[in-house]
Amino acid sequence: MVDNLIHLIEIIIGTILVGAFGILFGLLTKGIDRKLAAHMQWRIGPPIIQPFRDVKKLFCKENIVPRNAVTWLYNSAPIICLASTIAVLLYIPLGSIPPVLGGYGDVILILYLLTIPSLAMVAGGFASGSPFATVGAQREMVLMMSYEFPLATTVIALGWKISTLHPGSVAFSLSTFARYPVWNIMGPFGIIGAAILLVVMLLVTTGEITKVPFDIAEAETEIAEGLFVEYSGKNLGLFYLADAVKTVVMASLIVALFFPYNLSTYLASHISLPTIAWQTVDFLFYLFKIEIVIFFAMTFIRVSVARFKVDQVVRVYWGYLTLAALIALLLIALDVLL
Amino acid sequence: MNESYTIPIGPLHPAIHEPITLKLEVSGERIVGVDVFCSQVHRGIEWIGMNRNNAIQSIYLAERVCGICNICHPLCMVQAIEKAAEIEVPERAEYIRTIMAELERIHSHLLWAGVAAHEIGFDTVFHYTWALRENVMDLIEYLTGNRVTKAIMMIGGVRRDIKEEGAKKIKEGMKFYLENFKKIEEIYLHDPTIKMRTRDVGILTKEDALKLCAVGPTARASGVPKDVRQDFPYAAYGDYGVKAITPDVYNGEVHGDVFDRIIVRLLEVKQSVDIINWVLDNMPSGPLLAEKNLVKLKIRLKKAEGEGIGRVEAPRGEDIHYVRLKAGEEPFLSWKIRAPTYNNVLPWIPMLLGGQIADVPIVAASTDPCMSCLNRVTVVDTDKKKEFEITKEYMHELSVRKTRRLMRNGR
């Protein structure tokens, strides 16, 4: 009984800490992304703390609810969006720190949880009763349906490979992924397959966090921010935070699946440091990995292409990326058979 | 999802930088109906020219018709006045006017290219293009003293000369653009994502372009070789011999889509560079103004009676100013501006029908619309406190009434 209570309190404190980390680091990441993008675009760009100022300003502003909106849904959508995004972060290991809810779910659960923020955005868009938001919500649904399949294929391909090599382990648990890093267990075919899957995953991330070229649901010049057209003040601020956390979540997922390496595993035998220090080093290394992933999945892509149209987005995800993911699956299967 | 609904684009919308309303009938993402509502801004420029200003003051007013076409509007207007008052412009002034007009075309087309890139979400290209555009802006500032409203036109000539130093700077600037043209061409004509968004989007057939009287790059991209500089040369264009650029010059085919409009504009930038270089090499010497003394010029204009039409190929297409002078009156008796956007708005309808919502910004931008040029008339009934637009039937009725009145007076 007391054990349960302590465990519960641990989880609550952990959730608060992880939530705070997700929001703060997400905003910082946004700032870094904007700065890097600006330099690539021949501009100076805003200071790195600009997203914090933006959020501060949004939270000072009034919430405006349109007259023909469904008020309760309209107001609850941003909260659901942020909460569900933070919930995903609870299942992902941060460096060598195990996830808060480690024992309660696996990658399959994460895949399901990842759809909730998008669904909340769709609900909020439909609830705001604006034609622009309706178009945006429709586009978001199309986008979501498009990237789910390549995303699922990636996760299943990797999980399957691990389960064939280590039948005893829990195949889809992220701690298993961390114990057997993808690149170490693959043969030559498997490495090619995993590399293809990594590219697929990076492009899925761009869609998941709705950035150019896949930002059809919010396309500023086309449908005036689409889903968020009616949102203002705190509600918009919550969506902004959810977007920041989602960026961290997606990058963490890639890091957890493809680069679960920690410095402590390799260096602890050479340098002796207390455990807490090693955890800090690993955590910083993990943040560094996230920034690298975000640079390639978001900053680099969004400055180098134009926005696609809906049919083109669907073609990219259902056509090219699904095909690439299936080829990678075949390569990994070949690897298992040989 | 077969139910269609209406989406209003404008009067305020991030895709359209100036007030105009597009009512789109949309089924899912597909556009099944388009209607355009103009006249959201009316500034009474012609009214001021006909009631408050004298002719020389109106030059500066004409400059402010549009922030970008601030050479072609005053050039067009002074041409009309010169015809009405029979003033002969010195040759050197004509050549300087040509240089200014072509510099404006370079800056306007680059500005447009940047905006087009922004409309399809390609912000990097937008920033790069605008950074390249800064060079011509600096050149314009050096030559005229201003970046935007250049104040260089004068009735019967120009106000500033291009000296040795200036000619050298222009040559350097033109060299810069020739060197960078390859880069711009590489970005706009070979980038796969730009091609994906613009090829076979917003098609305007040659028949539609002719039927709807499209002008400028919009018409040329549909394969209509019309260019005022070629068909009715003014300034120094007659000496140079401009040839209208159609997209088949580049790749031998005409699609009439947004991509073709990009091709036409980019090639025109190159053409402008050639024209400026030629004009600089062949610049005659001589005076800049037909009448240096402003007071004398004013008196001459006051005495003048007659009418004139100025035609100028603005970056967006043919610009027309009609001016009528009456002896003894300082303001114009009549002044009518017909800016190119007026012709290029109606082609939006065939371009957009059957397209997607995502196409709207780039298609609308592809004609390089300029609403501040476009809007002239809003009818307000102050008694009934009501604003309305003049329909075709009402316009016809008014015309019939006026014709009858004129016929009665004539008898």
Side-chain angles (χ1 to χ4, degrees):
Chain A
M1 183 67 203
V2 177
D3 278 359
N4 278 347
L5 203 65
I6 292 173
H7 186 57
L8 192 66
I9 291 170
E10 265 177 17
I11 286 179
I12 290 173
I13 294 174
T15 307
I16 293 170
L17 287 177
V18 169
F21 156 74
I23 288 172
L24 294 176
F25 186 65
L27 289 178
L28 182 71
T29 305
K30 259 181 178 298
I32 294 173
D33 161 63
R34 280 168 75 169
K35 195 82 184 167
L36 286 174
H39 278 282
M40 283 192 264
Q41 292 178 339
W42 220 344
R43 314 183 269 131
I44 295 166
I48 286 172
I49 58 159
Q50 188 62 38
F52 292 90
R53 291 180 184 155
D54 290 352
V55 169
K56 188 183 160 202
K57 190 191 83 178
L58 284 174
F59 276 86
C60 294
K61 287 197 152 187
E62 188 190 0
N63 251 341
I64 294 168
V65 182
R67 202 174 298 135
N68 55 351
V70 186
T71 314
W72 66 271
L73 190 56
Y74 179 83
N75 283 328
S76 56
I79 299 168
I80 297 171
C81 187
L82 179 60
S84 56
T85 319
I86 291 176
V88 186
L89 202 54
L90 300 179
Y91 291 96
I92 299 175
L94 312 173
S96 57
I97 305 167
V100 178
L101 293 175
Y104 297 90
D106 54 15
V107 191
I108 305 291
L109 179 71
I110 291 177
L111 286 189
Y112 277 103
L113 280 177
L114 273 177
T115 59
I116 295 179
S118 303
L119 286 176
M121 269 151 67
V122 169
F126 278 128
S128 55
S130 151
F132 290 115
T134 311
V135 174
Q138 287 170 359
R139 287 178 170 194
E140 176 74 31
M141 284 198 296
V142 170
L143 181 64
M144 203 168 70
M145 286 187 268
S146 309
Y147 63 61
E148 281 309 327
F149 190 70
L151 179 64
T153 314
T154 308
V155 170
I156 286 166
L158 297 179
W160 180 55
K161 170 75 187 175
I162 291 174
S163 69
T164 50
L165 279 186
H166 307 279
S169 58
V170 192
F172 287 105
S173 156
L174 275 173
S175 53
T176 316
F177 279 99
R179 207 173 316 129
Y180 312 110
V182 173
W183 311 102
N184 300 7
I185 56 171
M186 293 288 186
F189 284 116
I191 293 216
I192 301 172
I196 295 174
L197 288 180
L198 176 61
V199 173
V200 170
M201 194 67 183
L202 286 173
L203 287 170
V204 166
T205 304
T206 320
E208 182 86 49
I209 52 183
T210 54
K211 290 288 175 296
V212 173
F214 305 117
D215 67 334
I216 48 170
E218 300 162 20
E220 181 223 342
T221 49
E222 290 163 20
I223 46 173
E225 296 294 331
L227 290 170
F228 306 134
V229 68
E230 297 292 344
Y231 278 100
S232 57
K234 288 181 204 71
N235 281 340
L236 188 59
L238 286 174
F239 272 129
Y240 192 90
L241 291 181
D243 183 38
V245 178
K246 209 169 174 186
T247 313
V248 177
V249 166
M250 284 309 290
S252 301
L253 191 60
I254 292 183
V255 167
L257 288 179
F258 289 95
F259 310 107
Y261 302 100
N262 282 319
L263 285 179
S264 58
T265 335
Y266 300 96
L267 298 178
S269 50
H270 304 290
I271 312 158
S272 62
L273 282 174
T275 323
I276 184 83
W278 273 120
Q279 278 196 341
T280 319
V281 170
D282 281 345
F283 187 64
L284 290 176
F285 184 57
Y286 153 79
L287 297 187
F288 175 70
K289 283 188 288 188
I290 286 191
E291 287 302 341
I292 302 268
V293 167
I294 288 173
F295 176 78
F296 284 109
M298 178 164 145
T299 319
F300 185 64
I301 293 177
R302 87 183 169 98
V303 298
S304 47
V305 286
R307 183 185 304 117
F308 292 164
K309 291 197 278 191
V310 183
D311 55 334
Q312 291 164 343
V313 166
V314 174
R315 205 179 312 140
V316 167
Y317 278 125
W318 270 113
Y320 305 131
L321 287 190
T322 305
L323 195 66
L326 289 178
I327 288 172
L329 190 64
L330 278 179
L331 284 171
I332 290 173
L334 212 60
D335 199 51
V336 171
L337 293 177
L338 293 177
Chain B
M1 294 308 288
N2 283 326
E3 206 180 317
S4 67
Y5 51 97
T6 311
I7 292 185
I9 307 277
L12 297 170
H13 188 275
I16 291 163
H17 305 281
E18 286 170 286
I20 186 164
T21 309
L22 266 175
K23 289 248 166 72
L24 300 177
E25 196 72 29
V26 174
S27 168
E29 279 275 331
R30 213 141 277 286
I31 299 168
V32 292
V34 188
D35 206 352
V36 186
F37 297 85
C38 304
S39 298
Q40 315 277 343
V41 277
H42 176 62
R43 296 175 299 162
I45 285 195
E46 287 159 335
W47 186 89
I48 299 174
M50 288 188 280
N51 289 281
R52 194 191 73 186
N53 285 4
N54 64 38
I56 294 171
Q57 286 170 330
S58 287
I59 299 173
Y60 305 100
L61 192 64
E63 245 173 30
R64 282 153 180 82
V65 168
C66 172
I68 300 166
C69 311
N70 47 41
I71 288 288
C72 57
H73 276 294
L75 175 55
C76 201
M77 199 199 79
V78 296
Q79 279 184 7
I81 298 175
E82 282 153 9
K83 271 177 203 151
E86 287 162 3
I87 295 170
E88 196 66 36
V89 185
E91 215 175 336
R92 190 176 173 84
E94 296 274 38
Y95 274 65
I96 292 176
R97 283 178 179 183
T98 310
I99 290 179
M100 292 331 286
E102 291 309 311
L103 284 177
E104 177 181 87
R105 196 178 316 279
I106 293 175
H107 111 72
S108 175
H109 280 351
L110 288 178
L111 179 130
W112 172 83
V115 170
H118 175 68
E119 300 288 15
I120 55 172
F122 207 157
D123 280 358
T124 312
V125 172
F126 159 59
H127 290 295
Y128 270 60
T129 320
W130 278 34
L132 286 176
R133 173 175 167 265
E134 275 311 293
N135 216 289
V136 72
M137 296 307 279
D138 288 346
L139 201 57
I140 288 170
E141 189 183 5
Y142 176 80
L143 292 172
T144 66
N146 289 311
R147 270 167 67 91
V148 181
T149 43
K150 289 128 190 159
I152 194 165
M153 288 300 154
M154 178 46 73
I155 297 163
V158 289
R159 291 181 56 224
R160 280 168 190 253
D161 196 6
I162 293 177
K163 302 235 166 54
E164 197 98 320
E165 184 82 353
K168 222 174 86 192
K169 285 224 171 190
I170 296 176
K171 282 258 168 189
E172 274 166 24
M174 292 308 110
K175 222 176 117 206
F176 172 83
Y177 281 108
L178 273 188
E179 279 162 8
N180 280 281
F181 185 77
K182 269 264 153 304
K183 200 156 110 204
I184 302 175
E185 191 189 355
E186 181 69 38
I187 295 173
Y188 280 95
L189 303 184
H190 298 293
D191 184 275
T193 48
I194 291 187
K195 208 160 185 175
M196 266 170 85
R197 287 300 307 270
T198 55
R199 200 30 129 187
D200 294 323
V201 165
I203 294 178
L204 181 69
T205 56
K206 193 170 179 180
E207 292 75 52
D208 278 341
L210 287 169
K211 208 160 63 189
L212 294 167
C213 300
V215 290
T218 313
R220 290 197 281 277
S222 298
V224 185
K226 76 173 181 188
D227 189 323
V228 184
R229 297 175 295 170
Q230 166 196 279
D231 306 333
F232 301 91
Y234 54 92
Y237 294 115
D239 300 349
Y240 175 77
V242 180
K243 208 166 160 354
I245 288 178
T246 44
D248 47 341
V249 176
Y250 182 71
N251 51 12
E253 46 191 303
V254 177
H255 292 247
D257 54 7
V258 177
F259 193 71
D260 276 356
R261 277 164 228 147
I262 298 179
I263 294 177
V264 167
R265 287 202 173 84
L266 289 188
L267 293 183
E268 280 185 18
V269 169
K270 208 172 175 185
Q271 188 189 34
S272 294
V273 171
D274 291 342
I275 294 175
I276 292 174
N277 279 333
W278 183 88
V279 167
L280 271 181
D281 293 338
N282 295 284
M283 187 118 82
S285 54
L288 292 179
L289 284 167
E291 178 56 72
K292 267 202 186 119
N293 190 327
L294 281 186
V295 181
K296 270 192 195 162
L297 179 67
K298 237 175 104 181
I299 293 167
R300 189 168 164 192
L301 285 173
K302 201 171 173 180
K303 279 187 199 148
E305 174 133 12
E307 58 183 353
I309 291 178
R311 297 176 76 175
V312 161
E313 181 71 19
R316 296 170 163 75
E318 182 188 20
D319 186 18
I320 297 178
H321 280 229
Y322 167 80
V323 166
R324 185 167 193 160
L325 299 174
K326 194 181 173 207
E329 267 186 43
E330 281 210 316
F332 303 132
L333 183 68
S334 176
W335 181 20
K336 171 73 193 150
I337 306 169
R338 209 253 22 229
T341 305
Y342 187 77
N343 295 36
N344 284 342
V345 159
L346 281 181
W348 283 5
I349 295 171
M351 282 179 202
L352 287 174
L353 273 180
Q356 296 182 16
I357 300 174
D359 297 333
V360 175
I362 181 65
V363 168
S366 72
T367 65
D368 203 358
C370 175
M371 301 317 152
S372 64
C373 294
L374 163 69
N375 288 285
R376 291 282 101 73
V377 185
T378 300
V379 181
V380 185
D381 192 334
T382 42
D383 296 338
K384 289 180 190 153
K385 293 224 164 52
K386 184 169 100 172
E387 270 185 37
F388 60 94
E389 281 165 34
I390 295 177
T391 59
K392 191 183 153 202
E393 290 74 32
Y394 185 60
M395 189 74 197
H396 182 75
E397 195 194 314
L398 285 180
S399 313
V400 169
R401 244 189 268 164
K402 177 139 192 195
T403 316
R404 293 220 175 101
R405 206 167 58 232
L406 286 174
M407 282 165 71
R408 255 203 312 281
N409 291 349
R411 238 183 274 140

